[in-house]
């Protein structure tokens, strides 16, 4: 395993603790510019469950109370609580790239949102164990100076089979081994949707450490992070671990 990645896993609770987890349930609040495109309750308050070993996410009470959005290895569907299917999409990523400008930039349907939020929550909540997968290649890049601090960096290359923002992503690590920033291009939003996700307010839940406050800001030329607008404001109030 990459030496820096090993330090990151240790700082977030240790690889053995992470490998013992089967599912993670998180409750919190979502805001910022991007969720304005979401239908229904816009996930302003959410309960989400992700499976760790497989790409599967369930968003409770979305798009309406009594319904749930399911992201399951690239396929998405809307169901009732009793499991009745209300709609599905087998290739949601391709659908994003076929959307008109107005639809893509202003208003997503429930299945668009189920795909984007589904894979994003899975990626965010399973990191850093995510980076130890056999189908993700991780190397250490040159260190980075930011706000008077030096952060080490992990460059991750995701296999095409993994639903994620983009194939090449960068994770910034502080001196304590905690992930503090995550750079990516949100390709379903647009090829120019360069973003930096800042992670802080780290808390421990059942032996694992998660950043409970995350803010996504746009990246400009030269990797410079812009102070506004806030594209996504994600706050976790509670996280439950299932083993």
């Amino acid at each position: 395993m990459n030496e820096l990645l090993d330090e990151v896993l240790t700082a977030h609770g240790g690889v053995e603790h992470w490998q013992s987890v089967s599912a993670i349930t998180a409750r919190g609040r979502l805001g910022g510019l991007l969720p304005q495109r979401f239908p229904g309750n816009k996930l302003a308050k959410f309960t989400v469950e992700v499976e760790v070993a497989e790409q599967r996410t369930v968003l409770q009470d979305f798009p309406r109370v009594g319904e749930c959005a399911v992201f399951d290895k690239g396929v998405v569907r809307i169901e009732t609580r009793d499991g009745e299917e209300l709609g599905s999409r087998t290739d949601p990523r391709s659908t994003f790239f076929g959307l008109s400008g107005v639809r893509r930039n202003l208003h997503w349907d429930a299945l668009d949102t189920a795909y984007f939020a589904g894979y994003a929550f899975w990626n965010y909540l399973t990191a850093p164990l995510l980076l130890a997968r056999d189908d993700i290649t991780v190397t250490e890049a040159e260190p980075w100076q930011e706000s008077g601090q030096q952060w080490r960096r992990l460059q991750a290359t995701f296999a095409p089979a993994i639903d994620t923002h983009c194939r090449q992503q960068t994770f910034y690590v502080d001196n304590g081994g905690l992930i503090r920033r995550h750079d990516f291009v949100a390709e379903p939003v647009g090829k120019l949707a360069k973003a930096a996700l800042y992670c802080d307010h780290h808390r421990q839940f059942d032996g694992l450490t998660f950043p409970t406050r995350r803010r996504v800001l746009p990246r400009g030329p030269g990797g410079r992070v812009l102070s506004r607008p806030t594209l996504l404001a994600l706050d976790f109030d509670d996280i439950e671990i299932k083993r």
Side-chain angles (χ1 to χ4, degrees):
M1 187 184 295
N2 179 284
E3 179 182 348
L4 179 54
L5 178 54
D6 188 50
E7 293 179 21
V8 170
L9 283 163
T10 298
H12 289 81
V15 65
E16 291 184 359
H17 278 113
W18 275 96
Q19 289 176 338
S20 71
V21 178
S22 61
I24 300 169
T25 299
R27 299 174 182 83
R29 293 158 285 123
L30 197 62
L33 190 63
L34 186 63
Q36 294 178 18
R37 306 181 188 189
F38 298 175
N41 58 28
K42 302 186 184 299
L43 298 174
K45 292 185 178 180
F46 64 81
T47 298
V48 59
E49 180 177 338
V50 302
E51 293 186 8
V52 173
E54 301 287 344
Q55 279 203 289
R56 190 174 192 276
T57 303
V58 178
L59 295 160
Q60 299 291 346
D61 290 322
F62 179 82
R64 290 174 286 273
V65 174
E67 299 175 354
C68 63
V70 180
F71 163 78
D72 192 358
K73 295 185 278 295
V75 175
V76 291
R77 57 185 180 271
I78 306 299
E79 298 178 347
T80 67
R81 285 179 179 169
D82 296 329
E84 178 187 353
E85 185 177 295
L86 303 176
S88 65
R89 190 166 292 156
T90 57
D91 192 4
R93 194 176 188 92
S94 294
T95 301
F96 261 105
F97 294 109
L99 296 180
S100 68
V102 172
R103 220 265 311 97
R104 192 171 181 178
N105 295 326
L106 296 179
H107 178 70
W108 296 355
D109 65 22
L111 293 169
D112 296 329
T113 307
Y115 176 71
F116 185 87
Y119 83 68
F121 272 120
W122 185 82
N123 278 252
Y124 298 163
L125 285 168
T126 62
L129 183 65
L130 168 70
L131 300 179
R133 289 173 58 103
D134 292 338
D135 50 3
I136 297 176
T137 302
V138 176
T139 58
E140 185 169 353
E142 292 296 317
W144 175 268
Q145 297 286 336
E146 183 162 332
S147 301
Q149 302 179 52
Q150 178 170 283
W151 290 345
R152 297 168 72 184
R153 294 192 293 172
L154 288 170
Q155 298 275 14
T157 302
F158 289 69
I162 300 177
D163 287 277
T164 187
H165 288 305
C166 60
R167 299 293 154 230
Q168 304 288 333
Q169 302 180 30
T170 305
F171 295 80
Y172 298 69
V173 181
D174 68 15
N175 290 333
L178 297 176
I179 295 173
R180 299 293 303 279
R181 174 177 161 182
H182 172 199
D183 286 1
F184 52 83
V185 179
E187 290 178 346
V189 177
K191 293 182 179 180
L192 300 180
K194 299 179 180 179
L197 188 162
Y198 283 92
C199 306
D200 54 26
H201 294 193
H202 290 75
R203 289 174 54 193
Q204 193 174 93
F205 298 89
D206 197 10
L208 301 181
T209 299
F210 296 85
T212 60
R213 183 181 188 274
R214 308 187 191 212
R215 296 293 183 269
V216 179
L217 298 173
R219 283 186 291 130
R224 182 171 62 92
V225 179
L226 308 180
S227 60
R228 60 184 185 273
T230 299
L231 303 177
L232 190 70
L234 177 58
D235 294 280
F236 292 116
D237 298 320
D238 182 58
I239 296 176
E240 296 179 10
I241 308 300
K242 181 180 179 181
R243 290 185 166 88

